[in-house]
Amino acid sequence: MSASVEDRIQTELWRGAIPVEIHLAADEVADVAPPPPFFGLIPRGAYLPVWFDRETEPSPRRHFEPFVARFPDNVLTNQRNADAVGDEVAPSPDVAEPDTPSARADEKRKTEKPCWFDHDGAPLRWNVCAGTLHDVFALREADGTVASRPWRLTVHYAPCKEDEDDAAHTLAGTGDSDVFSNAQSLFASGDESSARAHFFNALKEAVHVERGSAAVVMSMTRAAQRDLWRSVLTGDRSLATEAETALEVTARATEADVAANASADDKESLSHRRIPTRVFVRTGKDATERHASWRDVVWTSAPVPVYPHGPGSRKSTARDSLALVAPQFLENESNDSLNDSWRCFVQGVEVSLDAPLDALHARMRGADRFLHVCAVRLNAKT
């Protein structure tokens, strides 16, 4: 496949979007009737809370704001303390604030409560891109196709109870902490800066896995970083031209280049390449069932060698990556019923369990240069 075709595939996948229908949580409506749902297209690579808070019209947050019950945390805390001793809450002193655009923006961020989302009652993590969340949690038909569109989500402003429960809940394959973020909140993100920092940390990790160094990311100009982030939020890959060029220019040679030009040492080095991979396997509820949760999902973030058994061996496949968290994919490799009951998705596209991982990464990696591999089970009862 020529480079130009690969580039076109990347561009098409980058601009892929998911139709969503968002409702305000019923117990947070401060009106006699709930607001109408918000319909939109969210880029697959975007993060739900950041997309929701965008300033461009139509703005999902502004759509719901007039209907949201608001109880600032400090007022509630003061009222509880006052109730305990039978006093009234003293009014806050008026403090003059500088009336500048940056000051107004800072004040707005302080007063806006972080939101979080659920699908069929399952809270969705803010630090996993929307496309991956959809691949894991979307309700599916028996043949693996998505059962309904648009994807129906509920937005919440009240604190998420599962933030406390799931923060201490370690799932198989994740180690002792959340592998994607050190944030205290797993479902509600405070601001765009948290998501931006998370994205660039992931990018540095992926590039380091690929090349042994993240220097190219560290040396990106501020303009390139800004445009790359905007491209993630909008799905417009053309905005990321400078950053993508810098990343590709410093990329390792392709196998064809090595075969034609490289020394024996270079070929040996190439044989030890690793692919930055994030794997999500829904081992709990069947994908045709509703009300799945994160306790039905195992996941990990890991480098996968191109040649799992050393130079000259077969190449790693999607099956190898899934086996990182679900060993049955390799233990029962010849089991036809297992192969028929699982579906593997990358960027919303169903791929074969035996598809070479390096080819998938070259064509279908995310903007963070990770290959996001998702697997769901179908017809588990048959």
Side-chain angles (χ1 to χ4, degrees), residues 158-358:
C160 179
K161 182 179 181 299
E162 293 209 24
D163 258 335
E164 301 174 0
D165 298 340
D166 280 26
H169 181 73
T170 302
L171 299 178
T174 64
D176 294 329
S177 62
D178 188 270
V179 296
F180 302 127
S181 175
N182 292 321
Q184 293 181 350
S185 172
L186 301 178
F187 303 106
S189 171
D191 52 38
E192 181 179 336
S193 63
S194 299
R196 189 179 188 277
H198 169 75
F199 170 80
F200 278 100
N201 283 336
L203 180 62
K204 286 185 284 188
E205 180 184 345
V207 172
H208 188 276
V209 167
E210 285 185 278
R211 299 157 206 177
S213 170
V216 63
V217 182
M218 304 291 286
S219 61
M220 262 187 209
T221 66
R222 289 187 178 181
Q225 292 183 31
R226 181 192 65 238
D227 291 342
L228 175 57
W229 179 239
R230 285 177 57 213
S231 74
V232 170
L233 301 184
T234 62
D236 184 355
R237 191 180 180 219
S238 65
L239 295 172
T241 300
E242 182 181 346
E244 284 280 285
T245 300
L247 291 168
E248 292 303 324
V249 164
T250 58
R252 290 181 181 270
T254 62
E255 292 191 45
D257 292 335
V258 170
N261 306 311
S263 65
D265 289 343
D266 288 333
K267 293 179 181 179
E268 178 68 15
S269 176
L270 183 66
S271 68
H272 293 288
R273 281 189 303 139
R274 298 178 299 167
I275 300 166
T277 310
R278 286 186 169 171
V279 181
F280 300 79
V281 179
R282 185 167 156 178
T283 58
K285 288 190 174 182
D286 190 299
T288 60
E289 298 179 86
R290 293 184 179 275
H291 308 301
S293 75
W294 280 103
R295 289 183 172 84
D296 297 312
V297 182
V298 290
W299 71 87
T300 193
S301 177
V304 180
V306 174
Y307 297 97
H309 305 297
S313 66
R314 67 169 181 83
K315 288 186 175 182
S316 290
T317 64
R319 187 190 302 273
D320 291 292
S321 68
L322 297 173
L324 292 172
V325 292
Q328 66 265 32
F329 280 100
L330 286 181
E331 294 170 357
N332 302 295
E333 189 170 353
S334 60
N335 187 328
D336 290 337
S337 62
L338 180 143
N339 295 335
D340 292 341
S341 63
W342 286 88
R343 295 291 186 273
C344 181
F345 298 92
V346 178
Q347 294 274 30
V349 178
E350 184 174 350
V351 300
S352 167
L353 289 173
D354 298 312
L357 215 59
D358 62 336

Side-chain angles (χ1 to χ4, degrees), residues 1-12 237 362-363:
M1 182 177 289
S2 69
S4 61
V5 174
E6 288 187 356
D7 187 67
R8 279 158 45 197
I9 291 175
Q10 275 282 296
T11 299
E12 288 302 307
R237 191 180 180 219
R363 297 159 177 80

Side-chain angles (χ1 to χ4, degrees), residues 146-166:
V146 176
S148 63
R149 290 186 177 89
W151 193 28
R152 187 178 174 120
L153 305 176
T154 302
V155 61
H156 302 258
Y157 290 84
C160 179
K161 182 179 181 299
E162 293 209 24
D163 258 335
E164 301 174 0
D165 298 340
D166 280 26

